[in-house]
Every structure is written in C-alpha cells, then in structure tokens.
C-alpha cells in the first residue's frame, strides 16, 4: 500500500495500544539505551567527506551502470544502454476472450478478464516449473488496492462514493486481488500468452478455504458460511513470497477499509481494539452496497476472515486459494520463505504499521522436495514467533503459543485460534520489539543473511519520552524516524547451513536512510554513496541472481525525486553503497523487482502512478488532478498501474 494511502486509511494504532497494553509492555521490556558505539558510527559516517578521499564508488562497487540523476517527472527513467518495455497495464487482456480496456464502460465481468489495478507483489516463475528458463514463465502478481476516483472519468475524492455506479463498484472489486499469467520472450520482446493454460484472475469474489488453527472458529462463521471454513475473496493483497514447492503466498494488508458501518458496535471488541481503524476512511470501494457482507451490521464476523496469508497454487487454476491462519492475523506485508537445514520451512513476515512487529513461522514438518502434493497443508502446523532485538547485537524469536508464558486463558489466549485471531495483542504480551513499520523482508540466497526494511516512523520518540515501546531502541535507533532504515539479520550456521529456524540470530544496522550530507538526518550509508544514491522510505527488497540487493522506496520521497529503485552490494568493499537505477513516474512506487534466472531481465511493478498532483505533491482527487497519465499519456484518461520490463541492450546481466 502506498504510504499516503496507509496514512489515510490507518491512523497510528499505537493510540489504542498505549492505552490498553502500555502497562504490560512497559513492564515486559527491559530498559534499553541506544548503543554508544552505534551513535559514534553514525556520526562518523555523516562526518566523512562527501565523496571524499575514500575509495570511489567506481573502485569498490560491482555495479557498473551509469547511475541516474535524481529526477521528479511525469515519466519514468532508466539507465543509458537499457530498454524499457511495458508488459501489462491495468485493463490489459489476460485471456483470448478479454474485452478491450475502456474505463468508461468497465464493469465486473470485463475486469475479471483483465490485468488488475495497483500491481504490487511480482514474481517471475520459470516454466516448466523448476526449470531455469529465462524466456518463458508465469507472472504472479498481486493487485493491492484500487482508487475509484482515479480510475473512472467524472469522479472526485469528495463525491465518488455517491456517484459510483453498481457496475463500477463491481469493476473495482474485480480489479483487486491477483493475476497469474504466462509470459514469453519472442524476438527480444516480452508478451502475455493470452491463452496460457495457467492464466487466472483472483479477486474479491473468488472462493477460498480457511485452514489452520482458527478455521471453523465461531468468530469466523457467517450466514453464508456456517462452517467458518469458506471465504469469498481476498483483499489488500500487498507483497508476498514463494514457497519452496512453488506456491504463492500473498499478504492481506489491512482489509478493513473495504467494510462499511460502525465498528464500535461489533461483538469481539477485544479483536477490534488493535486494528487501528479510522471510521472516516472505511467503505473505500462501496462494496457494502453490492454485497451486504461488507457492512458490519449485516455480517459482524466477515471482517475477521481477511488479513491472513493466502496460499495460491499457480499451477492449478482450479485449486481454491487457502488462507493459512497459523501464520497469524495482522496487516501482512509479505511472506519470505527459507528452508532450515533440517528441511523445515521458515516464513518471515512484517506487520506494516508503526510500532508493530517482525514475525516468523516455522513449519512443524520438513517439506518434501520430491512430492509437491505432500506439502499441500504444511503451513497449517508450526510455530509462529516474533522478534525481540537486544542491544548487544543478538535477537531472539519468542514463540506465540497458547498456554505458554503470558498467553494464558485468563489473558484471553486459551487456544491457538485465540492467538492467531488476535495476533497483535498476543504479541504485545510477549514484550517483543516494536518496529518502525516493517515492510520488505528478503533472504539472501548466497550468504544466508536476511534484510528487513523499516519504512519510517514519525511517531518514534527519543529516549526519556513516552513509554518504552515508543522510544528509540537499538534496532530502531532514531526518534522520530522519518526516513527509515534497513537491518541485517544473521542466522547461525553460515552461508551453506544457515539455520533460519534457530531461536537466536545476530543482527546489525545495514543502512540508516536519509541524506548523508544533512547531519540531522543521521544517515548511514557507505561513505562513497553519491548525491543520487542515497534514499529514504525503503519498502520492497529483492536480491538478484548475482546477489545484489535491490531496494524500492515508498515515499513521500525527498524533494526533487519521485519514488525509485536503488541497487547495492551486500558484501565486499561496495557493501551498502546504493546506486540509483530507476525512477518511477510521480505518485507511484516501484514494487517487487523480480529477475529471470539468468539475471538479464528485471520485471518491476509500477503501482499508483499519478496518485499525487504534479504541482505540490498533494493527493490527487480526480483523473484531471493526477500528476501523470503514464504510461499512455492520453488526454483525460487515467494513469494505468503497469508491469514493466528492463533489460540491457547488449544482453548482459542487469545492474552489472
Ligand atoms: Fe502494502 Fe505495506 O505496503
Ligand atoms: Ca509502503
Ligand atoms: Ca509495501
Ligand atoms: Ca514514507
């Protein structure tokens, strides 16, 4: 979700948190002080001569492309010697029978056959599955949210709720969710294979299964589903991950915006309390007008059937997606998978709100590499835990298990269903480390290290103010933190036998974002970072086949640049030395860079182009107001979120 959208939709949930759990938290977390050595390092980095006499970027970085200049534009920008292609735009045909895109007549039936809106998670899966094809594959894409007044002509942010037609609402409900479709490279150009056997759209009406500890719980039963095990639709599909057996995990991140009505009248207020809801900003699609289940008073349990991790089998278009409740219920950003040396699968997840937590799920059983079907329900059994960072450079994973520690029946956690339905409240009791809005989480396949992006947290307080959970800590060392940072987590076992399931890891700050030339930013990058290479607001993280780390930002970006994509080495002399690779059109973020196995092609999702006005970076309120109409640039027509492809004209590896 764009940071702007998030701010509108979800005010700081910390308010309720502080009132309800502040006392518990204050007694549960030891008093920390920011590491003196760490501060010295930060100050040292800032004090270093900008592009000083230390080695130059050209001397130490493995990246040789000509770095872009910071730019803020209606168009996108990429390096010299590269070509950019638009592969799929909102409304493009995914099937042989898809109707042509026309926002003036778009309805639900048409949208179900087209590429959806606001593509976020993106993954290139070679075909056949398990092969290393770099010219043929499946694109797995999530469509996080929709902004009706930027999609249909004649609407504004103020009047769209009244003016939306039923057909338009149905179109919106079909334009979010996920797309799976075949792509192929022919004569150097990528194209959608419109009759691909796996092509599929998933949306707010797709039938799904609820599985795991909360499935069948009374609080998940509705009039349409007395079993509590069947759900229609998925909402707010943010980032995700891929399991070792080739299924897609999609994080539902904050579905409450879609519901209408007064949530203060809902039963189970103990579950409502930690949602961070804002009454003014719900019902953003008008879905309750079409389907009563999206009105709180009609179906008081429907909302709890969202904000899970959904598993989708891209190789079986008839398979129902499954919401895996064992992985907890919160504002799921992504779900990055790794395999422990004993074969158990580990899923790393961030809860993207200020002062929320980093989570991990470890399966009970090892995965089966030779029988794909044997892994079908692997994610239903295992241990959910969350991260507590210590100031000595160690961190521990604290298990969230009903009946263990403070998770007692008296505290409201008699069963694992209680824990997974109210994960944030259970997490509060364990005294884990509240983070600065954790988003991207990536496992480096060559080193076994993990990188985590904290986007920002303006409400983080300096030491001595507020309660301890709100104050700076070693892993979130700046208060306020308007620029974000990246942490590096190191499991024991080394690169070849990294034990992602171990109880204890080591950790370090990888970069502190901001402008290294501005002392008060307190930024920490490699001293040779150029005036174009530093960034703020890191969101999605990827590692390419060469082992370089790619960071996509989700602003508001600093003055003079739109959100952008940066790339850097993680090891060697060029460690933490980012270079500016791609700049998105104004108002958009670039999400989920994903690579062909040969590293020669990168696919990038461009989400919410034009969401800001060009004049002043304020929220655009209509198509006419939008900062860009990228990529079509047709007068009076909407900007279109799109999936782009970048490759080098000399066919060498991207980024090198
Ligand atoms: Fe969907 Fe947290 O971005
Ligand atoms: Ca974001
Ligand atoms: Ca994100
Ligand atoms: Ca931001």
């Amino acid at each position: 979700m764009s940071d702007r959208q998030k701010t509108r939709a979800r005010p700081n949930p910390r308010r309720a948190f502080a009132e309800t759990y502040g006392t518990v938290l204050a007694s549960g977390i030891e008093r920390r002080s920011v590491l003196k050595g760490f501060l010295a390092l930060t100050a040292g980095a800032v004090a270093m001569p900008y592009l000083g006499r230390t080695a130059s970027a050209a001397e130490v970085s493995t990246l040789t492309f000509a770095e872009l200049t910071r730019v803020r534009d209606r168009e996108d920008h990429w390096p010299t010697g590269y070509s950019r292609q638009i592969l799929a735009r909102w409304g493009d045909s995914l099937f042989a029978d898809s109707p042509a895109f026309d926002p003036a007549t778009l309805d639900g039936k048409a949208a179900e056959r087209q590429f959806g809106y606001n593509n976020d998670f993106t993954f290139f899966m070679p075909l056949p599955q398990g092969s290393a094809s770099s010219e043929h594959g499946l694109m797995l894409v999530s469509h996080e949210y929709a902004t009706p007044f930027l999609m249909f002509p004649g609407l504004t942010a103020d009047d769209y709720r009244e003016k939306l037609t039923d057909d338009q609402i149905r179109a919106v409900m079909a334009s979010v969710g996920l797309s799976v479709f075949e792509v192929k490279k022919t004569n150097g150009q990528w194209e959608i294979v419109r009759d691909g056997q796996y092509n599929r759209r998933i949306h707010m009406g797709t039938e799904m299964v609820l599985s795991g500890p909360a499935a069948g719980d009374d609080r998940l039963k509705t009039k349409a589903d007395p079993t509590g095990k069947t759900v229609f639709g998925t909402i707010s599909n943010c980032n995700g991950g891929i399991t070792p057996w080739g299924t897609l995990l999609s994080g539902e991140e904050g579905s409450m915006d879609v519901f209408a009505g007064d949530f203060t009248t809902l039963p189970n207020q103990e579950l409502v309390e930690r949602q961070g809801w804002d009454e003014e900003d719900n019902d953003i699609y008008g879905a309750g007008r079409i389907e009563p289940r999206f009105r709180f008073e009609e179906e008081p349990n429907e909302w709890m059937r969202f904000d899970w991790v959904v598993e989708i089998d891209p190789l079986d278009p008839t398979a129902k997606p499954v919401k895996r409740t064992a992985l907890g219920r919160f504002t799921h950003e992504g779900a990055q998978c790794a395999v422990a040396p004993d074969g158990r699968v580990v899923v790393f997840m961030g809860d993207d709100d200020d002062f929320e937590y980093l989570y991990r799920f470890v399966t009970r059983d090892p995965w089966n590499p030779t029988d794909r079907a044997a892994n079908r329900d692997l994610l239903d059994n295992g241990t959910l835990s969350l991260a507590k960072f210590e100031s000595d450079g160690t961190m521990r994973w604290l298990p969230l298990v009903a009946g263990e520690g403070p998770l007692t029946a008296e505290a409201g956690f008699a069963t694992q269903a209680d824990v997974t339905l109210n994960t944030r409240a259970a997490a509060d009791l364990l005294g884990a480390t509240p983070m600065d809005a954790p988003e991207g989480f990536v496992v480096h396949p060559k080193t076994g290290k993990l990188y985590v992006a904290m986007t920002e947290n303006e409400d983080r307080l300096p030491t001595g103010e507020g309660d301890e959970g709100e104050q700076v800590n070693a892993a979130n060392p700046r208060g306020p933190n308007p620029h974000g940072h990246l942490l590096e987590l190191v499991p024991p076992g080394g690169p070849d036998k990294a034990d992602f399931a171990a109880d204890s890891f080591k950790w370090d700050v990888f970069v502190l974002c901001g402008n290294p030339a501005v002392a008060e930013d307190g930024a920490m990058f490699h001293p040779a970072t150029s005036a174009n290479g530093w960034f703020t607001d890191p969101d999605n993280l990827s590692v390419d086949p060469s082992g370089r780390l790619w960071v996509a930002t989700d602003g508001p970006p600093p003055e003079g640049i739109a959100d952008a994509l940066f790339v850097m080495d993680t090891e060697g002399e060029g460690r933490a030395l980012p270079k500016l690779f791609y700049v998105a059109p104004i108002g958009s973020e670039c999400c989920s860079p994903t690579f062909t196995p040969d590293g020669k092609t990168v696919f990038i999702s461009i989400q919410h182009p034009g969401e800001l006005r060009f004049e002043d970076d304020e929220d655009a309120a209509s198509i006419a107001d939008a900062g860009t109409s990228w990529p079509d640039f047709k007068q009076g027509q909407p900007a279109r979120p799109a999936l782009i492809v970048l490759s080098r004209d000399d066919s060498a590896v991207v980024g090198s």
Side-chain angles (χ1 to χ4, degrees):
M1 167 169 292
S2 87
D3 213 56
R4 290 270 177 165
Q5 186 82 8
K6 189 172 75 185
T7 307
R8 278 203 303 273
R10 293 199 301 274
N12 179 6
R14 189 69 185 168
R15 226 173 295 140
F17 173 65
E19 285 159 17
T20 315
Y21 300 99
T23 318
V24 176
L25 188 85
S27 63
I29 294 186
E30 68 183 41
R31 177 165 285 277
R32 294 186 203 99
S33 57
V34 179
L35 284 173
K36 284 198 171 61
F38 175 76
L39 275 180
L41 177 58
T42 307
V46 172
M48 286 181 115
Y50 205 48
L51 283 178
R53 285 187 302 281
T54 47
S56 71
E59 289 169 307
V60 296
S61 173
T62 69
L63 297 153
T64 59
F65 69 90
E67 182 172 41
L68 297 189
T69 302
R70 299 173 93 83
V71 61
R72 179 184 169 280
D73 197 358
R74 299 181 203 272
E75 308 204 28
D76 57 336
H77 296 263
W78 56 92
T80 306
Y82 283 69
S83 292
R84 190 273 271 143
Q85 191 199 331
I86 306 280
L87 176 57
R89 298 162 297 182
W90 163 49
D92 276 347
S93 303
L94 294 186
F95 304 89
D97 65 353
S98 300
F101 175 65
D102 181 358
T105 60
L106 188 64
D107 61 14
K109 284 266 176 294
E112 277 180 26
R113 309 297 283 170
Q114 298 171 341
F115 188 67
Y117 198 79
N118 274 350
N119 38 304
D120 185 326
F121 179 73
T122 310
F123 185 78
F124 175 81
M125 179 181 282
L127 283 176
Q129 196 232 345
S131 79
S133 173
S134 290
E135 304 208 322
H136 183 206
L138 278 180
M139 293 305 314
L140 316 180
V141 181
S142 76
H143 302 287
E144 185 172 12
Y145 67 97
T147 308
F149 52 87
L150 299 180
M151 299 167 75
F152 304 109
L155 304 177
T156 72
D158 291 331
D159 66 14
Y160 82 96
R161 282 185 171 90
E162 296 78 50
K163 283 191 173 172
L164 273 174
T165 66
D166 288 0
D167 273 344
Q168 286 172 331
I169 295 174
R170 289 193 183 95
V172 168
M173 294 171 69
S175 297
V176 295
L178 298 113
S179 293
V180 176
F181 54 100
E182 219 174 290
V183 293
K184 210 168 206 168
K185 190 174 164 190
T186 310
N187 299 325
Q189 289 291 298
W190 286 88
E191 55 190 38
I192 299 168
V193 181
R194 293 195 164 76
D195 51 2
Q197 61 174 313
Y198 303 116
N199 292 12
R200 182 180 193 185
R201 273 302 318 279
I202 290 166
H203 46 71
M204 281 175 67
T206 305
E207 185 174 345
M208 316 202 163
V209 175
L210 272 162
S211 74
D217 189 278
D218 284 346
R219 291 163 286 187
L220 294 176
K221 292 175 180 170
T222 63
K223 288 193 275 290
D225 172 30
T227 69
K229 292 182 176 175
T230 301
V231 180
F232 283 92
T234 181
I235 312 175
S236 300
N237 301 86
C238 186
N239 219 259
I242 302 295
T243 64
W245 52 97
T247 57
L248 157 65
L249 301 180
S250 177
E252 293 185 314
E253 187 198 35
S255 313
M256 75 293 277
D257 324 0
V258 166
F259 288 83
D262 180 0
F263 58 80
T264 64
T265 64
L266 285 170
N268 305 315
Q269 281 293 314
E270 76 281 5
L271 300 185
V272 173
E273 217 153 341
R274 283 286 274 115
Q275 305 300 317
W277 283 358
D278 184 343
E279 204 169 350
E280 288 170 14
D281 286 319
N282 64 10
D283 195 23
I284 58 171
Y285 303 157
R289 200 203 301 170
I290 305 297
E291 294 192 40
R293 66 185 173 118
F294 291 113
R295 297 201 296 269
F296 288 128
E297 68 273 23
E298 294 288 332
E299 198 52 88
N301 286 348
E302 184 70 12
W303 64 277
M304 284 179 281
R305 293 143 61 84
F306 298 90
D307 288 351
W308 303 102
V309 168
V310 191
E311 184 176 10
I312 294 150
D313 186 350
L315 299 179
D316 182 359
T318 67
K320 290 177 190 168
V322 183
K323 299 197 179 190
R324 301 289 180 189
T325 67
L327 278 64
R329 183 174 183 280
F330 47 88
T331 56
H332 284 280
E333 172 82 17
Q336 278 288 306
C337 297
V339 179
D342 62 7
R344 287 181 295 163
V345 174
V346 187
V347 187
F348 293 94
M349 303 174 282
D351 182 350
D352 179 13
D353 260 327
D354 292 350
F355 302 108
E356 294 300 343
Y357 304 108
L358 296 182
Y359 291 84
R360 179 184 82 171
F361 180 78
V362 182
T363 58
R364 183 189 62 193
D365 303 318
W367 81 289
N368 186 331
T370 58
D371 180 3
R372 189 168 184 264
N375 304 302
R376 196 178 53 207
D377 296 320
L378 198 68
L379 295 175
D380 283 343
N381 295 291
T383 304
L384 184 64
S385 54
L386 71 166
K388 179 175 171 65
F389 291 84
E390 307 292 351
S391 54
D392 65 358
T394 61
M395 58 169 295
R396 285 182 295 134
W397 293 98
L398 311 175
L400 276 166
V401 178
E404 287 188 14
L407 303 183
T408 61
E410 297 72 40
F413 301 103
T415 67
Q416 199 60 17
D418 296 329
V419 171
T420 54
L421 276 163
N422 202 5
T423 307
R424 283 178 167 183
D428 293 338
L429 294 178
L430 290 192
T433 306
M435 309 300 289
D436 289 342
E439 297 208 277
F441 217 141
V442 70
V443 179
H444 195 301
K446 290 181 192 277
T447 65
K449 297 177 182 175
L450 296 103
Y451 296 87
V452 196
M454 264 50 68
T455 309
E456 65 163 52
N457 184 354
E458 296 268 11
D459 294 329
R460 175 73 66 187
L461 296 169
T463 307
E465 295 181 26
D467 76 50
E468 281 192 81
E470 293 173 325
Q471 294 172 12
V472 293
N473 55 59
N476 301 273
R478 290 180 296 181
N481 178 13
H483 305 308
H485 58 286
L486 300 180
L487 296 181
E488 181 179 64
L489 314 186
V490 187
D496 298 330
K497 283 212 165 140
D499 187 359
F500 300 103
D503 291 337
S504 178
F505 285 15
K506 289 200 163 35
W507 70 275
D508 208 344
V509 173
F510 186 64
V511 302
L512 294 175
C513 304
N515 185 348
V518 176
E520 50 269 33
D521 280 10
M524 185 180 76
F525 288 104
H526 189 293
T529 301
S530 81
N532 295 306
W534 60 271
F535 57 84
T536 65
D537 300 90
D539 187 336
N540 294 171
L541 306 180
S542 299
V543 175
D544 68 23
S546 306
R548 300 183 185 102
L549 179 67
W550 295 67
V551 180
T553 68
D554 177 17
E559 208 173 313
I561 188 171
D563 273 312
L565 183 59
F566 300 80
V567 55
M568 72 197 87
D569 297 325
T570 63
E571 304 290 327
E573 291 185 1
R575 174 178 158 90
L577 199 175
K579 286 176 74 174
L580 175 54
F581 181 81
Y582 173 85
V583 181
I586 183 167
S588 58
E589 60 176 303
C590 34
C591 302
S592 276
T594 177
F595 301 84
T596 50
D598 63 8
K600 294 180 177 179
T601 302
V602 57
F603 303 87
I604 310 166
S605 269
I606 307 302
Q607 190 184 176
H608 52 81
E611 200 174 71
L612 304 180
R613 300 198 300 218
F614 194 76
E615 302 72 42
D616 54 10
D617 270 343
E618 289 300 314
D619 292 343
S622 68
I623 289 173
D625 209 20
T628 184
S629 54
W630 182 93
D632 298 350
F633 295 104
K634 282 190 185 156
Q635 184 74 26
Q637 294 297 301
R640 298 169 76 179
L643 175 58
I644 66 165
V645 193
L646 278 163
S647 56
R648 271 173 65 149
D649 296 336
D650 64 1
S651 300
V653 168
V654 167
S656 62

